[in-house]
Amino acid sequence: MTENTGVGRGGAPGSRGRTVIADVVVEKIAGMAARDVRGVYALGSGFARSMGSVRERMPGAGGGRSVTRGVSVEVGEKQAAIDLEIVVDYGVSITDVAGEVRESVISAVERMAGRDVVEVNIMVSDVKLPDEEGEGEERQRIR
């Protein structure tokens, strides 16, 4: 967790006290911002997505897909560094998608969490081919 400590006496009312932002908050902001970029199929490695899919089907396991899968952050008092692992759609320019992801994540984290983003490292771990099954789709058996 990080904290933002304001000026004590005589400061503006909005700066009296401190605001603590947990790392998971920045992870969620970054994950949502990355998913919103056209060309990003998913976040996380194939194994992490598979395990997440299994967890989602288990009763009482939290339900819903994990927003922080494929996202890790280091958050300081004033700055943040973010690592993302993404899967892109086949046919898109990976460098263009990576640039758009960086812009989206930096903008969202700086606006919502008030932290300067010093870097967004992106690892493209896979490409989603048009004929591959999607997350959660059942494989049809030929009989």
Side-chain angles (χ1 to χ4, degrees), residues 53-105:
S53 179
V54 169
R55 266 193 314 270
E56 290 166 9
R57 292 186 189 122
M58 295 174 64
R65 144 176 116 165
S66 173
V67 177
T68 61
R69 187 182 312 142
V71 182
S72 73
V73 301
E74 291 181 32
V75 183
E77 241 180 79
K78 297 180 181 180
Q79 297 178 325
I82 301 164
D83 294 326
L84 300 169
E85 186 174 353
I86 67 172
V87 177
V88 297
D89 290 318
Y90 176 80
V92 300
S93 166
I94 294 173
T95 55
D96 289 349
V97 170
E100 290 177 33
V101 166
R102 278 190 186 91
E103 288 178 26
S104 179
V105 168

Side-chain angles (χ1 to χ4, degrees), residues 1-6 17-26 75-77 112-115:
M1 284 196 214
T2 63
E3 61 182 70
N4 186 13
T5 307
R18 64 184 195 187
T19 303
V20 178
I21 299 175
D23 292 359
V24 70
V25 172
V26 176
V75 183
E77 241 180 79
M112 295 174 71
R115 300 296 184 265

Side-chain angles (χ1 to χ4, degrees), residues 9-58:
R9 295 183 196 152
S15 67
R16 295 181 196 169
R18 64 184 195 187
T19 303
V20 178
I21 299 175
D23 292 359
V24 70
V25 172
V26 176
E27 287 175 349
K28 287 181 178 184
I29 293 168
M32 291 300 294
R35 279 186 175 83
D36 285 344
V37 174
R38 188 174 163 270
V40 173
Y41 174 74
L43 269 66
S45 66
F47 180 74
R49 290 192 326 270
S50 296
M51 291 308 295
S53 179
V54 169
R55 266 193 314 270
E56 290 166 9
R57 292 186 189 122
M58 295 174 64

